[in-house]
Amino acid sequence: MEHLHLEEWAWRLAADVYRLNLFAQLTGRTVSKRSAVTEEELAGAIRNSFTQLNEAAYREMVKLATDAALETYDRLVSRTIKLWHAQRAN
């Protein structure tokens, strides 16, 4: 049960990272003080990008956002598992 909560939590945070990164790349705005963007904000940024970006540039931005999200997920899960093992050892 605990494992499922960890995985769900990590995926939620990774999804937030994905949306934040993609939004920032599409709009050119920094989002360092924000923890999330709304679906409407992201959808608007995607719509606006169609007139400003070619398909290759858009795909690269999606790839970069995906990579950042997956790295976030891996870090969260790895760190949490290490902490869990350390607590069990004590």
Side-chain angles (χ1 to χ4, degrees), residues 4-69:
L4 291 176
H5 293 294
L6 166 63
E7 191 170 355
E8 182 179 325
W9 170 73
W11 276 124
R12 283 184 186 171
L13 287 176
D16 286 343
V17 166
Y18 173 83
R19 287 189 295 272
L20 280 168
N21 275 302
L22 186 57
F23 179 81
Q25 290 179 47
L26 291 173
T27 63
R29 293 189 237 159
T30 59
V31 290
S32 59
K33 294 183 181 184
R34 297 180 69 176
S35 62
V37 295
T38 66
E39 293 295 326
E40 292 81 21
E41 289 174 308
L42 183 56
I46 291 169
R47 269 192 309 278
N48 292 338
S49 73
F50 286 137
T51 61
Q52 300 169 3
L53 297 172
N54 63 39
E55 187 176 339
Y58 180 77
R59 285 183 188 200
E60 182 61 22
M61 289 181 180
V62 169
K63 181 187 179 317
L64 291 171
T66 301
D67 290 348

Side-chain angles (χ1 to χ4, degrees), residues 67-88:
D67 290 348
L70 291 174
E71 182 179 334
T72 298
Y73 176 83
D74 288 343
R75 283 183 180 180
L76 289 170
V77 171
S78 294
R79 179 163 168 72
T80 304
I81 288 172
K82 285 179 186 175
L83 288 171
W84 183 75
H85 284 294
Q87 288 174 350
R88 289 193 68 183

